[in-house]
Amino acid sequence: MLIMLLQNEAKFGGVNVPDNGELGDRFKIPGFPTVMIFGADKRNPEEYNGPRDAKNMISSFRSIIEEEKKKMQG
C-alpha cells in the first residue's frame, strides 16, 4: 500500500542483504529491517528512523521528498 501511494513521487526497492552482503557493508546497514533513504546523493543514504506505520511513513517520506526537491533546485 505504501509503495502504491507514493509510486509517482519516489522509487522504492528492496535488497535481501544476507544474499547481497556487499551492499549491506557498502551502505553500513545495521540490521533488519532497515529503511534507507537515498536522496540526491546516492552514495550517502540516510537511515530512516521515523514511525513505521503506513500513515506516518507516507507523511515522513513526502516531507523528505519535498526537502530533496528544494535541495536539487538550489
Side-chain angles (χ1 to χ4, degrees), residues 11-62:
K11 295 179 184 177
F12 289 85
V15 174
N16 183 339
V17 173
D19 291 341
N20 297 282
E22 70 282 354
L23 286 175
D25 295 339
R26 180 175 165 191
F27 294 113
K28 300 175 181 85
I29 296 175
F32 310 100
T34 298
V35 177
M36 302 296 286
I37 305 291
F38 288 78
D41 182 357
K42 303 295 185 242
R43 295 181 184 160
N44 294 303
E46 294 181 30
E47 184 176 353
Y48 173 75
N49 290 309
R52 295 295 178 115
D53 62 282
K55 179 182 175 185
N56 286 309
M57 285 181 83
I58 290 167
S59 178
S60 295
F61 290 164
R62 284 192 170 136

